[in-house]
Amino acid sequence: MQLSESVALLSASNQVDILVVENDLAEARISLYGGHTLSYKPKRDHRERLWESQDAVLDGTKAIRGGIPVCWPWFGDHPSKNWPAHGYMRTQQWHVVECVDSETGSVIKLKPEFSVGPGFDGNADLTLTVSVGNELSVQLTTKNVGAQSFEFGGALHSYFNIEDISQTQLHGLTGDFLDKTENYARKVTPEAYRFHGETDNIHLSTESVLTIRTPGFSIDIESLGQDSIVVWNPWIEKSQSMTDMPDYGYQFMLCVESAITQGVTLAVNEQHTLTQVIK
Ligand code: TA6
């Protein structure tokens, strides 16, 4: 594995190796288990943008709670309910295929050991490109390298680090959303998007520039290639039910996910890129 000067390999456990990135512009950590960006801190303000659960499991037995899980080749529950939620890529080993430093930061390209898996019959070539600089850019590219078209879904399921969910607002979304907590009831996005309880909203949105405003700072998020933006906070009961989440962890995180919840169909040799840029 050829790493650039700004990237080092740290072993968190025998199943979880972590790339530690430090260049002139930012610091980041990326787990090769799951192709999972765990941390991003630009040097201009040294403020961590991503939230990682202090109870996250780092032994390779389950997806890491926090950071930016790579959900693929489906979002949420598999239609048959026979396979793990959010697909199987976030529990796969990925490996570095390119690692380059430049004056705009470090670019690391990762590929999974394989992209076939139970519950999906497409023949896909998958690449994750993580660019660590003044911004963090995460791009998931799916290419159809098979002999027939296939449909897939997924998400860059980002957990953002906030000060206090009860004083946090999300800006930039309009139109309708589906409220998963009320059997996907269709609702209108509120003007002032605040959080008062469990929130699990699928915005059928192509809005691309969002802002999380939390006491003392804001985080800008740009999405490309999504058919939905998913907004999730488990609140207290769900937090208490998750062993890899502190009981009060919900107060300090908000998921804003660039997602494909409606499905993208790729013809032979076609490719699609899902991008999230964090500023
Ligand atoms: O993206 C929101 C969501 O689909 C929620 O319904 C909740 O299940 C969350 O993802 C976390 O899922 P996980 O499988 O990581 O616990």
Side-chain angles (χ1 to χ4, degrees), residues 63 65 75-76 85-86 90 157 159 180 200 230 232 242 257:
R65 178 74 58 195
F75 177 84
H86 293 319
R90 58 180 182 162
H157 191 300
Y159 288 70
K180 188 175 170 185
D200 199 344
V230 180
W232 179 59
M242 294 189 280
E257 308 155 31

Side-chain angles (χ1 to χ4, degrees), residues 39-249:
S39 162
Y40 168 63
K41 214 168 12 178
K43 287 193 173 172
R44 66 178 180 280
D45 58 21
H46 294 284
R47 209 199 158 283
E48 177 59 65
R49 295 309 194 266
L50 300 176
W51 178 87
E52 185 185 356
S53 170
Q54 62 193 42
D55 299 336
V57 174
L58 289 173
D59 63 6
T61 58
K62 75 174 288 188
I64 299 169
R65 178 74 58 195
I68 308 179
V70 175
C71 303
W72 192 93
W74 60 83
F75 177 84
D77 292 333
H78 186 274
S80 71
K81 299 246 195 286
N82 292 335
W83 314 113
H86 293 319
Y88 46 76
M89 273 302 149
R90 58 180 182 162
T91 52
Q92 283 291 333
Q93 292 296 346
W94 294 59
H95 59 278
V96 177
V97 294
E98 196 179 306
C99 184
V100 177
D101 289 340
S102 73
E103 69 283 351
T104 56
S106 307
V107 178
I108 301 108
K109 281 186 190 289
L110 303 166
K111 293 180 100 46
E113 296 308 319
F114 47 85
S115 67
V116 293
F120 176 67
D121 55 9
N123 187 348
D125 179 75
L126 216 46
T127 306
L128 187 77
T129 305
V130 184
S131 306
V132 179
N134 270 327
E135 302 173 343
L136 174 75
S137 166
V138 181
Q139 297 182 293
L140 180 63
T141 299
T142 303
K143 182 172 182 182
N144 184 345
V145 292
Q148 63 249 336
S149 65
F150 61 71
E151 180 179 310
F152 74 100
L156 296 172
H157 191 300
S158 306
Y159 288 70
F160 291 95
N161 179 33
I162 58 170
E163 293 294 300
D164 176 352
I165 189 67
S166 66
Q167 296 186 61
T168 294
Q169 278 199 49
L170 180 61
H171 296 265
L173 283 169
T174 58
D176 290 357
F177 68 89
L178 305 177
D179 183 344
K180 188 175 170 185
T181 67
E182 292 185 23
N183 200 24
Y184 297 93
R186 186 178 278 267
K187 299 181 178 178
V188 177
T189 301
E191 273 294 306
Y193 202 141
R194 295 178 181 278
F195 302 89
H196 314 286
E198 183 186 353
T199 304
D200 199 344
N201 298 338
I202 299 174
H203 294 262
L204 306 174
S205 147
T206 52
E207 260 104 1
S208 63
V209 182
L210 307 174
T211 301
I212 297 174
R213 288 227 169 83
T214 188
F217 66 90
S218 62
I219 305 174
D220 291 331
I221 306 160
E222 196 167 338
S223 296
L224 292 163
Q226 83 282 2
D227 64 16
S228 310
I229 297 285
V230 180
V231 180
W232 179 59
N233 186 289
W235 221 254
I236 184 157
E237 265 176 48
K238 273 261 169 69
S239 290
Q240 289 172 332
S241 73
M242 294 189 280
T243 55
D244 59 354
M245 179 102 179
D247 289 355
Y248 292 95

